[in-house]
Amino acid sequence: MRERVLVCLSILMLWTSLVWAQEKKPVQLSDLSKIVTVSDPEIIPDGKHVLFVKSFIDSTKEDGFSYKSQLIMMDIQNPQEFKILNSPATNLSNYAVSPDGKNLAFSREWEGKPQIWILPLDGGEAQVLTSEKNGASGPVWSPDGKKILYSIAVPLWAIEGDPSWPNPRPGREYGDEPNYPAIKEGLVKDESKPNMDGDVNELRAWLAKNASKNDPRVIDRLNFLGERGLSTDIDFRHLVVIDLNTKKSESLTSGYRSFGSAAWSPDGSYILASSVEGNGHPDDIEDSNIYKINLSDKSVSVFLQQENYRLGGPTFSPDGKFVLVSGQDTEDRVFNQSLIGTVKADGSGLKWFTEELDRRVGGAKWSDDSKSIFFSGPNEGGITLYQADVSNGEISKIITGPVGINSFDVHGDQLVYAKTEVANPSEMYVASLDGKNEKVLTDYNSTWLADRWVSVPSAHHFEQDGFGVDYWVMPPFGLKDGAKHPTVLEMHGGPTAMWGPGESSMWHEFQVLAGRGYGVVYANPRGSGGYGKTFQKGNYQDWGDGPAKDVLTALDKAAAEYKWIDEEQLVLTGGSYAGYLTAWIVGHDHRFKAALAQRGVYDLTFFMGEGNAWRLVPYYFGYPWEDGIKELMDYNSPQSYVQNIQTPLMIFHGDNDLRTGVRQSELLYKSLKIMGKPVEYIRYPNEGHELSRSGAVHRRLDRIGRIVEFFERYVTHPN
């Protein structure tokens, strides 16, 4: 009788779970506003609590959505006990815990500029500490907790003396016109005589006064494009230390060079920071060294340098014997992987650990016993957490696979980390240092995901032209035996980006498309990151043919294996470099019912002159005035094949996107329109290149909605 009851109960439970599963609805477009991300964990010295940032979208405003973040302090063993350290209306950044764990230093706006604040962690109000004219950021506590080091921005015009590089304005000399910004700030006397009808000196003074009002903008630098507007001015980052008892601050560095990633020595007598020699213009410098800055006399000397290397990120080991450093060989900058290594405390004995690993890694942190270094990096569709043994350089994978370890901290025998996985885009976890005994600390997304159906990708691999290509296939919602479903080929940008189940930026878009009844296929073609230098260099002087072959082969293989893929109803999209690849493919292949090119590059010569990412052109192809390069660039430009495009095409671009340049999309759209091709052009006001990731929420929603609506014009779904 007992066995019959158990069988009946099992059947009932199975039936109930099936009904419950059937009642789940797919991820909705509006669910974007429900997604919470966690990041930047820091275990405070007592080992019992962790601080982390909770980022979310506030949808309670009457006029729409807004991004918010809060700093949370949570009991690791009892995560239901937590404390919110700031209101959503007061965002803070760059936080650091004092050595005794009692206070928090962070950056927050005060009277229009970011300043350093101090907050007692046991209760009390935050107090502003600095009042720097151009703002302050990046607080770093001294080992004894009595001082804080921070960074300020100093504009070029505010620095005494002349730069060591020649005046970039042809025929001009330094000091041949009044320094009106410095005059306005009271740094120099106004002895100018501006006169449009005067001699050349008076005319120059009059012209300089106009330029000081940015009317007109005088451009004399190479990297004059920012993300959303012109970047004509140059600032240098300098270091300042403030005594918490006296509240007196003292500048440690000066001149025409920047200092960053600073760290205190264990005895607090000097600072290590990355910088460059001040002999060249900042736009022309790619290498950096690590310098030692003595607090007693502010002397600056080289601590570590290596020719043709960019060095930075110095961090002393807890026992003070070694310094962790990061680096990269800049002779093949775009393809060489990043490095992590150590030197002795005197700067000798540099040893790299990650050369054989052949991955672009970062975020390195010491273990408390100084025997290990933890770091992470993209790896074959996930973001892997690694551990390096300092004594022998042996590297092991702590957490790997189809997940993403986006940020982490180690303390004692505890590892706390933010993780992305298919089932949940972001939660905070704790585990032992070997990655075992994992326990989830937060449930920000698991609550609303409880009644959502989530499409789970299947991983696949193939070999082609000497490259091993990974790709994934996501089934559509409502899949039934014998039914055929439209399928979208999604492609990533970069071109050195990497997608996979551990990558968080596309989680929502992929799930929305799958929830709308689309199969989703995505791949990491040659040129992607996460597979080593040789693979990453696989698209050198070949942005079109090779990568297109890889993603189309992935689609062909997926269609051959998954009979639910309707090969007569394929659609295509991608952004940035993948916007380029979308236009390239539809100029060469006519299988797609519709395609959508987002914020792409379509003419490479034009791109070199317009986008702030223009260095991709010489890195991958060369300069157009070099022998044979213009022909190579023309061959690799989708605009060269615009007359062959038959696929209905929608084009997205942000009005203020200067990374790829909005004129790229205007050229493609106008060309297709002139020829009477089926094309539609969408321009997003006030948006730059990061629209899909950090743009205004209502525009991010509109973007995905338009993707779905456009594809729906050309496909049908099974009943």
Side-chain angles (χ1 to χ4, degrees):
M1 181 67 181
R2 173 179 168 79
E3 291 180 356
R4 291 176 61 187
V5 171
L6 289 175
V7 169
C8 291
L9 284 174
S10 298
I11 294 173
L12 178 62
M13 291 174 64
L14 177 61
W15 178 82
T16 303
S17 63
L18 288 172
V19 171
W20 181 72
Q22 291 172 357
E23 291 177 350
K24 283 190 173 186
K25 64 180 180 180
V27 174
Q28 304 294 298
L29 180 56
S30 60
D31 285 338
L32 178 65
S33 64
K34 296 185 177 71
I35 296 176
V36 174
T37 58
V38 291
S39 62
D40 304 321
E42 181 173 345
I43 304 172
I44 67 175
D46 68 4
K48 298 178 180 179
H49 296 85
V50 61
L51 295 169
F52 62 88
V53 176
K54 171 190 174 185
S55 300
F56 58 98
I57 293 172
D58 183 0
S59 58
T60 61
K61 293 179 62 178
E62 292 184 2
D63 57 346
F65 304 92
S66 61
Y67 293 107
K68 299 294 182 183
S69 65
Q70 292 178 317
L71 186 62
I72 308 294
M73 183 168 68
M74 178 175 284
D75 188 306
I76 297 175
Q77 296 304 316
N78 300 290
Q80 67 278 6
E81 296 182 9
F82 62 90
K83 182 179 180 181
I84 300 173
L85 299 181
N86 67 301
S87 72
T90 55
N91 291 340
L92 54 84
S93 60
N94 307 128
Y95 71 86
V97 181
S98 62
D100 62 8
K102 294 181 179 180
N103 293 288
L104 185 76
F106 60 91
S107 298
R108 193 174 80 191
E109 189 171 294
W110 175 254
E111 296 182 346
K113 297 289 183 180
Q115 301 293 350
I116 306 300
W117 295 66
I118 302 293
L119 174 69
L121 287 176
D122 60 358
E125 294 293 325
Q127 300 293 323
V128 66
L129 179 65
T130 62
S131 57
E132 296 289 346
K133 182 180 298 183
N134 295 310
S137 61
V140 184
W141 292 87
S142 63
D144 61 9
K146 296 180 179 180
K147 298 177 180 179
I148 288 180
L149 181 75
Y150 59 89
S151 175
I152 62 171
V154 181
L156 184 149
W157 52 261
I159 299 176
E160 293 185 8
D162 296 334
S164 57
W165 57 86
N167 192 316
R169 300 176 68 185
R172 298 294 296 270
E173 297 179 357
Y174 290 116
D176 65 0
E177 67 180 21
N179 186 344
Y180 282 110
I183 290 171
K184 183 178 179 181
E185 294 295 326
L187 300 178
V188 296
K189 292 183 179 180
D190 186 0
E191 298 177 350
S192 63
K193 297 179 180 179
N195 185 353
M196 71 175 75
D197 296 321
D199 61 26
V200 68
N201 290 324
E202 293 171 333
L203 176 60
R204 282 177 178 167
W206 181 75
L207 295 172
K209 197 162 192 174
N210 295 337
S212 71
K213 303 171 186 176
N214 288 326
D215 187 13
R217 305 287 291 273
V218 176
I219 300 171
D220 61 10
R221 60 180 303 192
L222 178 60
N223 296 332
F224 63 90
L225 293 177
E227 282 294 291
R228 300 190 180 198
L230 294 180
S231 178
T232 57
D233 299 325
I234 296 176
D235 289 338
F236 297 90
R237 303 298 305 185
H238 283 292
L239 301 176
V240 179
V241 65
I242 186 169
D243 188 295
L244 295 179
N245 291 323
T246 65
K247 301 299 187 293
K248 290 183 179 180
S249 61
E250 183 179 22
S251 295
L252 299 181
T253 61
S254 61
Y256 293 95
R257 57 193 295 193
S258 291
F259 292 82
S261 61
W264 290 86
S265 64
D267 64 1
S269 66
Y270 64 92
I271 304 293
L272 293 183
S274 62
S275 184
V276 297
E277 296 290 355
N279 298 325
H281 192 283
D283 287 354
D284 300 325
I285 295 174
E286 295 187 355
D287 297 354
S288 63
N289 305 317
I290 297 177
Y291 292 84
K292 178 180 179 180
I293 306 157
N294 285 314
L295 268 69
S296 59
D297 59 5
K298 303 181 186 179
S299 62
V300 179
S301 59
V302 174
F303 174 79
L304 181 67
Q305 65 180 355
Q306 189 171 3
E307 187 176 359
N308 297 320
Y309 272 75
R310 179 189 298 107
L311 303 173
T315 308
F316 280 91
S317 60
D319 63 12
K321 295 180 180 180
F322 291 94
V323 178
L324 183 153
V325 295
S326 60
Q328 185 189 30
D329 185 341
T330 56
E331 283 193 307
D332 201 2
R333 179 186 177 195
V334 75
F335 303 112
N336 279 332
Q337 305 301 302
S338 54
L339 299 170
I340 290 174
T342 60
V343 294
K344 295 178 182 178
D346 62 2
S348 65
L350 175 63
K351 180 172 66 175
W352 296 117
F353 294 136
T354 59
E355 288 178 302
E356 297 300 320
L357 183 62
D358 195 21
R359 293 291 186 270
R360 187 156 289 182
V361 293
K365 296 186 178 184
W366 286 98
S367 62
D368 285 357
D369 61 8
S370 302
K371 294 181 179 180
S372 299
I373 295 171
F374 292 79
F375 55 92
S376 63
N379 179 42
E380 300 177 355
I383 301 175
T384 295
L385 179 66
Y386 300 92
Q387 179 186 25
D389 187 306
V390 175
S391 64
N392 57 26
E394 183 178 336
I395 294 176
S396 56
K397 297 175 182 177
I398 301 301
I399 302 176
T400 191
V403 299
I405 307 303
N406 300 304
S407 54
F408 68 93
D409 194 24
V410 292
H411 181 68
D413 60 355
Q414 296 181 114
L415 170 65
V416 176
Y417 49 93
K419 184 173 71 171
T420 291
E421 55 187 344
V422 173
N424 191 315
S426 184
E427 300 289 1
M428 195 68 69
Y429 295 80
V430 62
S432 52
L433 293 185
D434 58 5
K436 297 178 180 178
N437 305 310
E438 181 181 82
K439 183 177 74 171
V440 65
L441 295 176
T442 62
D443 61 354
Y444 297 129
N445 294 300
S446 59
T447 302
W448 68 266
L449 279 169
D451 68 345
R452 293 292 191 273
W453 173 88
V454 173
S455 180
V456 179
S458 298
H460 302 271
H461 181 88
F462 64 87
E463 300 288 328
Q464 181 163 264
D465 300 337
F467 299 104
V469 179
D470 288 342
Y471 71 99
W472 290 263
V473 180
M474 297 174 62
F477 180 71
L479 184 61
K480 298 178 181 178
D481 289 343
K484 293 281 190 177
H485 288 259
T487 297
V488 55
L489 176 62
E490 283 263 14
M491 302 179 298
H492 71 64
T496 59
M498 178 209 72
W499 276 354
E503 201 278 330
S504 62
S505 69
M506 296 302 291
W507 187 94
H508 177 253
E509 181 172 324
F510 285 178
Q511 292 298 335
V512 168
L513 288 168
R516 288 275 182 166
Y518 289 85
V520 180
V521 176
Y522 62 95
N524 286 325
R526 68 192 74 178
S528 302
Y531 296 87
K533 178 179 178 178
T534 300
F535 191 86
Q536 193 165 304
K537 202 171 184 177
N539 63 344
Y540 178 71
Q541 294 190 335
D542 176 19
W543 270 20
D545 286 331
K549 182 180 180 182
D550 291 343
V551 296
L552 292 175
T553 298
L555 183 62
D556 289 338
K557 289 183 174 296
E561 179 169 348
Y562 295 92
K563 300 307 179 184
W564 52 260
I565 293 179
D566 189 341
E567 294 187 76
E568 299 300 317
Q569 295 200 94
L570 302 174
V571 291
L572 171 71
T573 190
S576 196
Y577 164 73
Y580 160 100
L581 198 55
T582 298
W584 174 275
I585 288 174
V586 297
H588 293 78
D589 190 297
H590 307 305
R591 75 179 74 181
F592 295 95
K593 299 287 286 186
L596 203 157
Q598 307 175 51
R599 61 191 190 284
V601 169
Y602 311 111
D603 183 280
L604 292 175
T605 303
F606 196 22
F607 175 47
M608 202 194 84
E610 186 185 18
N612 67 21
W614 66 272
R615 290 185 188 273
L616 289 174
V617 174
Y619 286 155
Y620 279 89
F621 298 98
Y623 291 103
W625 50 83
E626 295 173 339
D627 187 37
I629 299 301
K630 181 63 168 66
E631 292 78 10
L632 181 64
M633 289 166 62
D634 287 345
Y635 176 82
N636 278 274
S637 294
Q639 182 66 23
S640 298
Y641 312 96
V642 66
Q643 71 279 3
N644 299 329
I645 295 177
Q646 302 173 12
T647 306
L649 185 67
M650 180 174 277
I651 304 169
F652 285 173
H653 226 112
D655 276 353
N656 299 334
D657 183 353
L658 293 183
R659 194 180 306 177
T660 53
V662 72
R663 303 294 172 258
Q664 294 281 329
S665 57
E666 290 182 351
L667 174 65
L668 179 63
Y669 169 71
K670 188 177 291 184
S671 301
L672 292 169
K673 200 68 175 176
I674 289 171
M675 291 185 286
K677 304 281 189 174
V679 62
E680 186 172 337
Y681 188 26
I682 309 298
R683 286 280 286 269
Y684 286 97
N686 306 314
E687 293 295 346
H689 198 71
E690 291 296 302
L691 166 63
S692 65
R693 292 177 282 265
S694 60
V697 179
H698 71 279
R699 296 191 190 107
R700 291 176 63 189
L701 293 168
D702 182 275
R703 171 188 160 275
I704 298 178
R706 289 185 187 276
I707 294 173
V708 172
E709 188 279 329
F710 184 62
F711 290 160
E712 288 293 294
R713 301 178 195 179
Y714 299 98
V715 304
T716 58
H717 297 270
N719 295 324

